[in-house]
C-alpha cells in the first residue's frame, strides 16, 4: 500500500492544517485542559478535522488513530495492517508559548512500523518527509544534511524543552565523549534534528505517546538512523496494547 501513496498529497494536507493552525497562532486563542491536564486549543481540533477528513477522502479504507480522536479498542486495532497515526499539533505547550517549535505529524504505520511520515513545523517553515525505500527529506533536501566525523571529541545532544527528566539528564551527563553540546527543542523536531544530522543523539527517558513520535520516527529511519527502546536496544514498535512509548534513544 505504501507505494501507492502520494507523499506530496500527504505533505499538502499537513500544510493545509498548518495554515489553519497559524491563523489561530497569530490570534488571542483560548486554552482548555483535557482530563489528563494536557492543554488543548482550537488549533488542535481544527487541524485534526482537516487532516482526518482529507485522509478519509483519499484513503477511505485505511483506519485512523489520532491524539484528538476517541481511542480505538486494542481488540479492533490489533487487526489493522495499515493505519494513519496523527498528532495534529505535537508541542501544544510550545504553541501556547508561541516559540514556533510545534509540528503537524502524519504517519502511516504498517503493522508495527512507521513506513511514511510527514512532520511540518508551520511557524518556522520546515517540512520533513519520508517514505519507506525512498529516503527522507527536509524542504526537498535529502537527509542527513551533515555528519559528525568525530563523535569521540564532541557529541551534539538534543533534549526536550518542556519535559527534561532527571533520568534523561543523567544519561546525557554519562555519555562517553570529550565534549557535549546540549540543545533543547520542542516537539518531534528533536527526532528530526537527529535525522538531519545536526544532533547525534536524542535520549527520551520520560513519557511520550505513539502519535508523538510516529511520523518523525519514519523520517529518522529513512535518514539511516534508528529509534531504539532504552531497556533492550530494540527498534521502537507501534500499535501496542498500551499506546505509551517506552523510554527511547534516537541515534
Amino acid at each position: 500500500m505504501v507505494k501507492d501513496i502520494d507523499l506530496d498529497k500527504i505533505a499538502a494536507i499537513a500544510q493545509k492544517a498548518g495554515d489553519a493552525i497559524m491563523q489561530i497562532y497569530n490570534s488571542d486563542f483560548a486554552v482548555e485542559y483535557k482530563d489528563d491536564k494536557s492543554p488543548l486549543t482550537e488549533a488542535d481540533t481544527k487541524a485534526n478535522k482537516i487532516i482526518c477528513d482529507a485522509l478519509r477522502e483519499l484513503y477511505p479504507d485505511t483506519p485512523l488513530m489520532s491524539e484528538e480522536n476517541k481511542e480505538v479498542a486494542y481488540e479492533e486495532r490489533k487487526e489493522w495492517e495499515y493505519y494513519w497515526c496523527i498528532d495534529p499539533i505535537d508541542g501544544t505547550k510550545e504553541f501556547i508559548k508561541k516559540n514556533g517549535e510545534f509540528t503537524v505529524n502524519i504517519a502511516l504505520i504498517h503493522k508495527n512500523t512507521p513506513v511514511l511520515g510527514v512532520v511540518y513545523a508551520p511557524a518556522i517553515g520546515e517540512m520533513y518527509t519520508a517514505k519507506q525505500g525512498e529516503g527522507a527529506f527536509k524542504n526537498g533536501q535529502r537527509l542527513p544534511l551533515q555528519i559528525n566525523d568525530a563523535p569521540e571529541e564532541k557529541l551534539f545532544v538534543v533534549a526536550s524543552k518542556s519535559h527534561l527528566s532527571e533520568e534523561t539528564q543523567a544519561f546525557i551527563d554519562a555519555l562517553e565523549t570529550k565534549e557535549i553540546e546540549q540543545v533543547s527543542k520542542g516537539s518531534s523536531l528533536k527526532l528530526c534534528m537527529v535525522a538531519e544530522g545536526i544532533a547525534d543523539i536524542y535520549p527520551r527517558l520520560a513519557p511520550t505517546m505513539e502519535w508523538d513520535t510516529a511520523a518523525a520516527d519514519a523520517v529518522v529511519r529513512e535518514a539511516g538512523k534508528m529509534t531504539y527502546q532504552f531497556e533492550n536496544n530494540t527498534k521502537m514498535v507501534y500499535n501496542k496494547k498500551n499506546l505509551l512509548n517506552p523510554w527511547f534513544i534516537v541515534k
Side-chain angles (χ1 to χ4, degrees):
M1 175 189 170
V2 67
K3 289 178 185 166
D4 302 326
I5 291 178
D6 187 335
L7 186 55
D8 289 339
K9 286 184 178 178
I10 308 305
I13 293 169
Q15 194 141 22
K16 186 179 177 184
D19 291 345
I21 288 166
M22 289 308 295
Q23 286 184 345
I24 297 164
Y25 183 73
N26 293 321
S27 69
D28 291 325
F29 53 83
V31 181
E32 299 172 21
Y33 288 88
K34 295 185 270 191
D35 292 343
D36 64 358
K37 303 290 189 291
S38 60
L40 178 73
T41 70
E42 181 191 353
D44 293 271
T45 49
K46 188 169 273 190
N48 189 61
K49 186 175 190 317
I50 288 168
I51 296 165
C52 293
D53 287 354
L55 290 174
R56 285 189 185 109
E57 187 175 333
L58 282 173
Y59 307 102
D61 299 326
T62 306
L64 301 170
M65 178 195 293
S66 170
E67 179 179 13
E68 306 308 339
N69 292 357
K70 188 170 180 287
E71 195 168 312
V72 180
Y74 180 66
E75 290 307 307
E76 178 184 338
R77 60 183 172 79
K78 73 177 182 181
E79 305 299 330
W80 293 350
E81 185 172 8
Y82 284 94
Y83 70 96
W84 296 104
C85 185
I86 302 151
D87 191 349
I89 300 183
D90 182 41
T92 302
K93 288 182 178 177
E94 316 310 328
F95 177 87
I96 292 165
K97 292 173 191 169
K98 294 199 172 187
N99 69 12
E101 294 175 10
F102 57 89
T103 54
V104 178
N105 297 267
I106 306 172
L108 182 70
I109 310 289
H110 178 224
K111 296 183 177 171
N112 65 6
T113 302
V115 292
L116 179 150
V118 171
V119 177
Y120 179 46
I124 55 177
E126 294 183 354
M127 173 77 78
Y128 295 87
T129 58
K131 187 174 175 181
Q132 192 174 60
E134 296 183 11
F137 298 84
K138 176 188 180 183
N139 294 347
Q141 289 186 284
R142 184 179 281 273
L143 301 180
L145 295 179
Q146 59 191 70
I147 294 167
N148 181 359
D149 292 323
E152 68 285 351
E153 294 293 326
K154 185 173 184 178
L155 278 175
F156 296 86
V157 183
V158 64
S160 175
K161 186 159 271 189
S162 299
H163 307 277
L164 180 59
S165 69
E166 289 180 18
E167 292 88 349
T168 302
Q169 190 60 58
F171 175 87
I172 293 169
D173 294 341
L175 287 168
E176 291 184 7
T177 184
K178 288 181 183 174
E179 186 183 350
I180 294 171
E181 183 167 325
Q182 192 169 328
V183 185
S184 64
K185 197 86 168 178
S187 75
S188 57
L189 288 168
K190 293 183 288 296
L191 289 93
C192 294
M193 287 173 71
V194 178
E196 191 174 337
I198 54 177
D200 298 305
I201 187 166
Y202 164 37
R204 180 63 181 235
L205 280 56
T208 55
M209 301 299 290
E210 290 188 8
W211 45 73
D212 293 324
T213 58
D217 196 355
V219 176
V220 163
R221 295 176 192 219
E222 280 301 299
K225 315 292 178 74
M226 184 50 68
T227 305
Y228 296 99
Q229 297 182 49
F230 176 73
E231 278 193 7
N232 56 22
N233 210 36
T234 59
K235 295 178 185 178
M236 278 261 280
V237 295
Y238 293 81
N239 204 15
K240 306 183 303 299
K241 188 169 186 178
N242 182 349
L243 295 170
L244 186 72
N245 283 328
W247 289 359
F248 64 82
I249 296 170
V250 186
K251 58 184 178 178

